[in-house]
Amino acid sequence: MARSKKQVERSNRRTAMVLTAVAVAVFGFGYALVPLYDLFCDITGSRYNVQASQATSAPGTQGETRQVTVEFSAHTSSQLPWEFRPLTREVKVKPGETVIVKYFARNTSSETVTGQAVPSVLPAQANSHFRKLECFCFSQQTLKPGEAKEMPVRFYVDQKLPAGVNTITLSYSFFRTDVKSKPRSAVIEDRAGTARRGS
């Protein structure tokens, strides 16, 4: 039995309404995915962990063949009664490779002394490509009379380091911070381990 024209039109309208409702529901679900994802990340902390990992991780050495020599030196203010020197004179690293080296500090005085290390990187074009992830220079250091300790530096050389830079020198100048007067000069220890007085 053939359906009437009105029945066909009514069926078509019903089908159109169902399809429209499905389309609206699909669009609404897709639109809601973004805030739902944000909520999920806030609850689980997964997005924060990813961002933190990206912020503190070296990029890796995949595809890197060149090596860069990193040299280490130490300077101390004349008013800082410390022995201060690198435990490693130099290392060869691939750009992107995370490396840990240590400096040694010992308070040679009979009083507790606080100091602050100020880093410098040479040559100048390497400064923005030398990334310190952990460093004793991030905070002041206090040593009791006769106390000694090893202080780590964790770093990597950025893979965007200019090709002509093959040697980088990381130098620390340690100044006393618990006295009001400014340091007049520094005791500089060269790569051979010989102390000399700086101007």
Side-chain angles (χ1 to χ4, degrees):
M1 182 177 178
R3 295 189 299 173
S4 66
K5 184 178 180 180
K6 288 184 178 181
Q7 289 177 328
V8 172
E9 290 176 351
R10 190 178 301 116
S11 177
N12 289 342
R13 284 197 299 270
R14 187 181 301 112
T15 302
M17 290 176 62
V18 170
L19 292 176
T20 300
V22 170
V24 170
V26 170
F27 176 79
F29 177 77
Y31 187 81
L33 280 179
V34 174
L36 286 174
Y37 172 75
D38 289 339
L39 179 61
F40 172 79
C41 290
D42 290 340
I43 293 173
T44 62
S46 58
R47 179 171 55 188
Y48 171 80
N49 291 336
V50 170
Q51 292 174 340
S53 176
Q54 291 174 344
T56 59
S57 298
T61 59
Q62 186 175 1
E64 278 291 348
T65 57
R66 63 173 174 162
Q67 285 191 325
V68 178
T69 300
V70 181
E71 302 174 342
F72 306 94
S73 65
H75 311 262
T76 55
S77 162
S78 61
Q79 295 184 354
L80 183 68
W82 285 7
E83 176 189 357
F84 174 57
R85 56 185 169 83
L87 293 178
T88 303
R89 293 296 176 179
E90 66 176 43
V91 294
K92 294 186 181 297
V93 303
K94 289 183 178 181
E97 176 185 6
T98 301
V99 179
I100 298 177
V101 297
K102 293 181 179 180
Y103 275 71
F104 174 84
R106 182 171 66 90
N107 182 358
T108 59
S109 73
S110 58
E111 60 180 343
T112 299
V113 178
T114 299
Q116 174 72 56
V118 179
S120 64
V121 175
L122 292 175
Q125 60 264 41
N127 187 54
S128 60
H129 301 287
F130 193 92
R131 314 290 187 179
K132 292 184 289 296
L133 302 176
E134 176 186 355
C135 182
F136 57 88
C137 62
F138 292 164
S139 60
Q140 294 184 353
Q141 303 294 324
T142 300
L143 295 179
K144 297 178 181 179
E147 182 183 3
K149 69 177 178 179
E150 296 180 359
M151 301 179 293
V153 181
R154 186 163 62 97
F155 69 91
Y156 70 92
V157 177
D158 193 283
Q159 291 174 307
K160 295 181 180 179
L161 179 74
V165 179
N166 299 314
T167 302
I168 297 174
T169 299
L170 173 63
S171 176
Y172 286 98
S173 297
F174 234 123
F175 299 98
R176 186 167 183 170
T177 58
D178 55 2
V179 292
K180 293 183 179 180
S181 59
K182 295 182 179 179
R184 295 186 299 274
S185 62
V187 175
I188 302 173
E189 183 178 72
D190 59 24
R191 291 185 58 205
T194 304
R196 57 189 176 86
R197 183 71 60 181
S199 56

